[in-house]
Amino acid sequence: MEDFAGAYLARKNDIFALPRDQNHTIAIFHLGGIAVECRLKSLLLDYHRINKFDKNSNRPKDSMYNQPVMNPSHGLLTALKRMSDFHKKAKSDIQLLKHLQTILYPLGSTEVDYISLRYIPQTTQSQEDWQKSFDYVCGWLEKNEKTIL
């Protein structure tokens, strides 16, 4: 069984283990997106009170109650939208959505997401700006997770 919470922590640690003085920007952006993806998947399972995808939601009063919760794959926004209470809270924070967009598309272009970065050899994109977005998103998720459990 997948351990999304454990994978989130491991990938987050991987990001900080990579030397910043060498050109590991693509790897940092890629692993950071995967970390956020794992965190959202972990929250999605907890939100619906299930232990794996394709099981029916056990969250009373939710629109997905008693319906199968599918794995959102790499869809960060899809995962967020499948937690209606959490999504409402997220939509009220414009900064969260802006920073989440940076994690999703770290190079700025919507043609290359954090998964597709593995095919890009290097970038001159700022790690500092991306790191601010990563810290904001992770902090927001950690701060607000108690509102959905």
Side-chain angles (χ1 to χ4, degrees):
M1 183 171 88
E2 290 106 343
D3 176 7
F4 294 112
Y8 161 69
L9 293 173
R11 295 304 72 77
K12 193 173 176 184
N13 287 338
D14 291 343
I15 292 164
F16 294 105
L18 289 169
R20 302 292 175 157
D21 60 340
Q22 299 171 19
N23 193 2
H24 293 290
T25 305
I26 293 293
I28 289 168
F29 291 174
H30 180 68
L31 291 172
I34 292 169
V36 171
E37 174 187 324
C38 289
R39 186 67 184 128
L40 285 168
K41 286 179 178 180
S42 174
L43 290 171
L44 183 59
L45 292 173
D46 289 346
Y47 180 87
H48 287 287
R49 301 174 182 152
I50 56 177
N51 60 9
K52 67 180 189 174
F53 289 110
D54 300 326
K55 295 288 185 186
N56 288 352
S57 172
N58 290 311
R59 188 174 184 93
K61 300 181 182 176
D62 188 86
S63 61
M64 291 185 69
Y65 178 72
N66 212 25
Q67 295 178 33
V69 179
M70 307 307 286
N71 187 328
S73 185
H74 306 302
L76 305 182
L77 294 173
T78 300
L80 196 56
K81 288 176 183 176
R82 289 186 182 164
M83 299 178 274
S84 58
D85 295 341
F86 209 45
H87 185 238
K88 286 177 195 171
K89 191 170 191 76
K91 286 192 319 186
S92 69
D93 186 340
I94 305 284
Q95 290 301 310
L96 172 70
L97 298 177
K98 178 182 147 257
H99 289 299
L100 192 58
Q101 194 73 5
T102 298
I103 300 303
L104 193 52
Y105 301 106
L107 303 183
S109 166
T110 57
E111 295 172 16
V112 180
D113 65 10
Y114 70 97
I115 294 297
S116 301
L117 281 177
R118 66 187 184 271
Y119 304 118
I120 307 291
Q122 61 186 352
T123 184
T124 59
Q125 195 77 9
S126 167
Q127 282 186 29
E128 289 177 32
D129 292 341
W130 179 89
Q131 188 68 53
K132 287 177 189 171
S133 290
F134 181 77
D135 292 343
Y136 189 95
V137 169
C138 290
W140 191 94
L141 292 172
E142 290 169 18
K143 182 178 107 182
N144 289 285
E145 74 177 304
K146 62 183 168 264
T147 65
I148 65 163
L149 303 178

